[in-house]
Amino acid sequence: MTRLTIFGAAATLLAGGARGAPAQTATRAPVIAVSDEVGHEVRLVDAGTGATLATIPTNARARGIHASRDGKRVYVALSDDAVNAQSSADAIAVIDVATRRIVERLPAGSDPEQFAVTSDDRWLVASNEDASAASVVALDGGGVAATLVVGIEPEGVAVSPDGRWALVTAETSNSVSIVDLRARVVAGAVLVDPRPRGVAFSVDGARAYVSAEIGGTLSEIDVRRKTVARTVPLEHGAGKPVGVAVSPDGRRVYVANGAADAVSVLDARTLRPVGRVAVGRRPWGIAVSRDGRWIATANGLADTISLIDATTLQVVRTVPAGRRPWGVTFLP
């Protein structure tokens, strides 16, 4: 097998294709960044070989993770283990992919857990789990521009493709706050099933999908009307869904079901299941590559990540990933 690794571009060309993927054409196996909650680190993993390219210490609990649009930076939410107390460990770390070092720590309020970045890479919205708040952070080093009161124990965050709206789930109040990012106010809230966790916008920004861990469901929110349009059970209501991702073409919704050790694949138009993929124990984080070819899950109790071929819906590689991997993101 001929393999050309280009670290600066964060990509590996596999001439023969990854195991389980179509062999007739060359496939580009991506690099995945993984946050390690207990191991206090971020790993860069070559999905084509399973090799760890770098291990970057964070010296704090690492959870939410996203890459910049150009793939040159990785953002990761860090916090300490203290409850209801802000410390110097609470921040969004900025990792330079080329040097594989943390180059900046951005203030983002107390105990940031999840966050989302606007498509222009100018702003970040973080959930502050122990403060019932959300922080709007300037990525140019301008600090926290606004702190907004949201639901109790906020977690999941998504920003609409046009950068107008942010949605913040709240586990204890069973709500989703709708934030107007232009006015920097909470414009409304929607009640969903118990313990909402993940959230993801549709490609057109008109809808959003919210997982309810205890409810065992996925709800579709009409963003303009600020209402729940429909709710469907996952894994017969017993899957304990967490992470949610939408395919780049907008046709599929992927949900990581922690208790079922599986990913549900739903038709975005009908919300009917069109596939199911068994992965490692307790998949929490989930991400889709920019080209839609790959899906990755962070399997928290298996200490692995699973790489799924989105065309065949087969796991093509399972990779060790530290101690309790929490989140995953693809580098373009």
Side-chain angles (χ1 to χ4, degrees):
M1 180 184 295
T2 303
R3 183 179 293 114
L4 174 63
T5 303
I6 311 172
F7 295 116
T12 302
L13 181 64
L14 300 181
R19 180 171 57 86
Q24 66 271 22
T25 58
T27 61
R28 184 182 296 269
V31 167
I32 302 171
V34 189
S35 59
D36 185 340
E37 184 177 12
V38 173
H40 293 184
E41 63 188 20
V42 168
R43 290 185 175 219
L44 301 182
V45 175
D46 183 329
T49 65
T52 295
L53 304 176
T55 301
I56 303 153
T58 59
N59 300 316
R61 186 181 179 195
R63 290 185 288 176
I65 188 167
H66 295 283
S68 63
R69 293 287 297 179
D70 59 12
K72 294 181 179 180
R73 298 173 303 283
V74 171
Y75 306 108
V76 59
L78 305 181
S79 60
D80 56 34
D81 294 321
V83 178
N84 298 323
Q86 187 171 357
S87 75
S88 59
D90 297 341
I92 303 294
V94 182
I95 296 171
D96 180 87
V97 173
T99 63
R100 301 171 186 175
R101 295 178 181 273
I102 293 177
V103 294
E104 192 174 7
R105 291 177 185 262
L106 301 172
S110 175
D111 194 22
E113 179 171 1
Q114 264 285 24
F115 63 92
V117 180
T118 56
S119 60
D120 59 7
D121 271 338
R122 294 182 59 197
W123 299 96
L124 177 150
V125 181
S127 61
N128 302 123
E129 184 179 20
D130 61 12
S132 298
S135 296
V136 181
V137 181
L139 287 175
D140 63 0
V144 177
T147 301
L148 306 173
V149 176
V150 292
I152 302 171
E153 200 177 0
E155 179 171 342
V157 184
V159 172
S160 61
D162 63 1
R164 174 67 188 276
W165 304 102
L167 299 185
V168 183
T169 69
E171 297 177 62
T172 301
S173 56
N174 302 329
S175 62
V176 181
S177 295
I178 302 175
V179 177
D180 184 331
L181 288 178
R182 292 180 187 170
R184 293 179 186 165
V185 297
V186 176
V190 179
L191 290 178
V192 292
D193 283 348
R195 204 176 190 200
R197 299 288 302 272
V199 57
F201 271 94
S202 62
V203 171
D204 62 7
R207 295 154 293 151
Y209 307 97
V210 178
S211 64
E213 187 175 26
I214 293 177
T217 59
L218 183 78
S219 291
E220 180 186 74
I221 293 177
D222 184 316
V223 178
R224 182 179 64 83
R225 295 179 178 177
K226 301 181 179 63
T227 58
V228 174
R230 51 187 169 173
T231 298
V232 296
L234 299 171
E235 296 289 325
H236 306 290
K240 294 191 179 298
V242 181
V244 182
V246 176
S247 63
D249 63 8
R251 297 174 62 183
R252 287 178 170 179
V253 181
Y254 303 108
V255 187
N257 294 286
D261 304 336
V263 172
S264 293
V265 185
L266 307 178
D267 181 296
R269 183 178 59 85
T270 64
L271 286 193
R272 292 178 178 174
V274 294
R276 182 184 189 274
V277 186
V279 292
R281 289 184 61 208
R282 284 286 178 175
W284 291 323
I286 189 169
V288 183
S289 62
R290 190 79 55 85
D291 61 6
R293 175 66 193 276
W294 305 100
I295 308 159
T297 62
N299 309 318
L301 295 188
D303 294 338
T304 62
I305 59 173
S306 295
L307 181 68
I308 301 165
D309 185 314
T311 302
T312 64
L313 294 182
Q314 298 291 320
V315 173
V316 297
R317 190 172 298 279
T318 300
V319 181
R323 298 166 58 204
R324 195 164 292 183
W326 198 95
V328 285
T329 189
F330 285 93
L331 274 64

